[in-house]
Amino acid sequence: MNEQLFNIILLTIPVIEAVITGILIPYIKTKTSAARMDEIGKWVTKAVQAAELLFDTPKSGDEKREYVTNFIDKMFNSKKEVITKDQIRILLEASQTQISNVTEGQ
């Protein structure tokens, strides 16, 4: 009886490993990256607000974009690339749209 139980346990170990590798690890990575993107999005919004205060001259949009892009790039990509400059620009544009919608609604 003990030998049969041992064989059953030996057979279930690869199945459990396959489930962990195929389902659990990708699920955890997805949740982690989603949380990371939320955090980056919040920082982009803060950086946009800071750029609005720092560059208050007319037609300084390029300077503002450059400031936010460099700030986020340095903050999150100092050790390894977490977010690309294109992704930063997309978040920047979304944040600017969201901020302008809020200020227009006031």
Side-chain angles (χ1 to χ4, degrees):
M1 185 69 171
N2 289 335
E3 189 175 329
Q4 288 177 344
L5 182 61
F6 182 72
N7 287 334
I8 291 172
I9 292 171
L10 284 178
L11 291 174
T12 58
I13 289 174
V15 173
I16 293 170
E17 288 175 350
V19 168
I20 289 172
T21 304
I23 297 172
L24 191 60
I25 291 176
Y27 175 76
I28 291 171
K29 283 185 178 181
T30 302
K31 290 295 180 182
T32 304
S33 62
R36 174 67 79 156
M37 288 305 290
D38 287 342
E39 179 184 356
I40 292 170
K42 289 176 185 175
W43 276 105
V44 167
T45 301
K46 291 176 185 180
V48 167
Q49 292 168 343
E52 291 292 331
L53 293 173
L54 292 171
F55 303 100
D56 58 350
T57 59
K59 299 190 180 198
S60 61
D62 291 336
E63 292 172 338
K64 291 176 188 178
R65 274 189 224 87
E66 189 69 25
Y67 171 80
V68 172
T69 302
N70 288 337
F71 176 79
I72 297 299
D73 187 45
K74 287 177 188 174
M75 185 171 186
F76 289 98
N77 294 336
S78 63
K79 295 182 182 171
K80 68 174 189 171
E81 186 173 72
V82 174
I83 185 169
T84 65
K85 293 212 180 209
D86 289 335
Q87 290 171 325
I88 294 171
R89 285 187 197 104
I90 290 169
L91 288 172
L92 170 64
E93 296 298 327
S95 179
Q96 285 176 329
T97 303
Q98 184 181 22
I99 289 172
S100 66
N101 288 341
V102 169
T103 55
E104 288 175 3
Q106 292 178 351

